[in-house]
């Protein structure tokens, strides 16, 4: 009743409309709460992730690649957080974006993304594996990352330090057999050490959406 009042719906793993890509991962969510265009689950999807305290260049690149992917009918997936996530969703709101949240689907976090949250729920698709009304918790965000990669054919890591949560998403993607893409950065910037390490370890270097 709470979900219906919010304009959301509940999907079970056994439901026909449960996303097929997510079915394939080792630990799919048994229950999803969604709000928005469920048809996005049936489109080609690429995740774009990066830090909350992203550099100006990282924000600019996330916007550019999200726009380019959208122009090629690819849906973006990200985590609705500050920084790269926000840039990704804002740039692809018209072409299609999926936001995976770390609390209940009704819990707007961060609060400054209230307008973006409403837009994604209206024009895109919001997804949560947490029960309605759940507050965002740090442990939820780690688990959320496997959903972000699980809903995607590949993950683009725009910027990441060696301790970044984006590298956790990349590890989930590797475990799930998804493509991992990384944007190279300056060796003098610790915010790029994680992405440079991914490239050394075999991730596909990305300088544009053509890659």
């Amino acid at each position: 009743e709470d979900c219906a009042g919010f304009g959301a719906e509940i999907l079970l793993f056994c439901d026909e409309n449960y996303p097929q890509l997510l079915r394939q991962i080792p630990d799919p969510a048994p229950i999803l709460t969604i709000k928005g265009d469920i048809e996005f689950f049936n489109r080609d999807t690429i995740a774009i992730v990066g830090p909350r305290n992203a550099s100006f260049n990282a924000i600019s690149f996330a916007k550019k690649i999200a726009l380019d992917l959208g122009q090629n009918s690819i849906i973006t997936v990200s985590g609705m957080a500050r920084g790269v996530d926000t840039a990704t969703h804002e740039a692809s709101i018209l072409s299609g974006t999926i936001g995976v949240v770390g609390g209940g689907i009704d819990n707007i976090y961060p609060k400054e993304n209230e307008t973006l949250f409403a837009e994604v729920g209206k024009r895109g698709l919001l997804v949560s594996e947490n029960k309605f009304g759940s507050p965002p918790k740090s442990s939820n965000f780690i688990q959320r990352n496997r959903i972000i990669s699980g809903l995607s054919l590949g993950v683009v890591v725009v910027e990441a330090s060696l301790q970044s949560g984006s590298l956790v998403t990349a590890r989930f993607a590797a475990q799930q057999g998804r493509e991992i893409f990384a944007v190279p950065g300056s060796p003098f910037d610790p915010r790029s050490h994680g992405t440079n390490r991914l490239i050394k370890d075999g991730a596909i270097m990305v300088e544009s959406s053509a890659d």
Side-chain angles (χ1 to χ4, degrees):
E1 290 176 350
D2 287 336
C3 287
F6 187 69
E9 61 179 297
I10 294 172
L11 280 182
L12 304 181
F13 182 80
C14 57
D15 288 342
E16 182 180 352
N17 290 329
Y18 191 93
Q20 293 300 317
L21 276 176
L22 199 60
R23 283 188 193 275
Q24 299 168 10
I25 71 173
D27 51 352
I31 300 172
L32 292 175
T33 307
I34 65 169
K35 181 179 182 181
D37 191 345
I38 194 172
E39 286 301 315
F40 284 178
F41 284 149
N42 300 319
R43 302 267 299 277
D44 287 342
T45 48
I46 291 289
I48 304 175
V49 298
R52 291 170 171 81
N53 62 334
S55 67
F56 174 81
N57 284 337
I59 295 293
S60 298
F61 186 85
K63 289 180 178 179
K64 177 67 166 61
I65 199 167
L67 280 170
D68 290 348
L69 291 172
Q71 288 172 0
N72 286 280
S73 301
I74 294 174
I75 303 295
T76 63
V77 184
S78 202
M80 295 296 295
R82 297 181 182 95
V84 165
D85 290 12
T86 293
T88 296
H89 294 306
E90 287 179 343
S92 49
I93 194 70
L94 296 180
S95 55
T97 191
I98 298 174
V100 185
V101 300
I105 202 164
D106 58 319
N107 202 311
I108 301 170
Y109 181 84
K111 290 298 183 183
E112 64 260 30
N113 275 357
E114 183 173 0
T115 300
L116 177 62
F117 190 93
E119 284 294 302
V120 174
K122 179 180 178 182
R123 299 173 180 268
L125 180 62
L126 291 171
V127 179
S128 175
E129 67 171 331
N130 302 293
K131 68 179 181 179
F132 192 89
S134 298
K137 297 179 181 178
S138 57
S139 58
N140 291 349
F141 290 106
I142 296 296
Q143 292 302 306
R144 173 207 61 179
N145 290 347
R146 87 187 195 287
I147 303 294
I148 292 173
S149 57
L151 286 171
S152 309
L153 296 168
V155 174
V156 179
V157 183
V158 175
E159 191 174 67
S161 69
L162 291 175
Q163 305 300 322
S164 172
S166 298
L167 295 189
V168 176
T169 310
R171 285 196 292 271
F172 280 130
Q175 294 166 4
Q176 296 163 355
R178 307 297 157 83
E179 296 276 12
I180 303 171
F181 306 89
V183 180
S186 168
F188 295 109
D189 188 347
R191 290 174 296 188
S192 296
H193 289 176
T195 47
N196 291 347
R197 175 71 62 81
L198 286 173
I199 293 169
K200 286 181 181 179
D201 291 342
I204 300 169
M205 187 175 75
V206 170
E207 295 177 302
S208 72
S209 61
D211 297 320

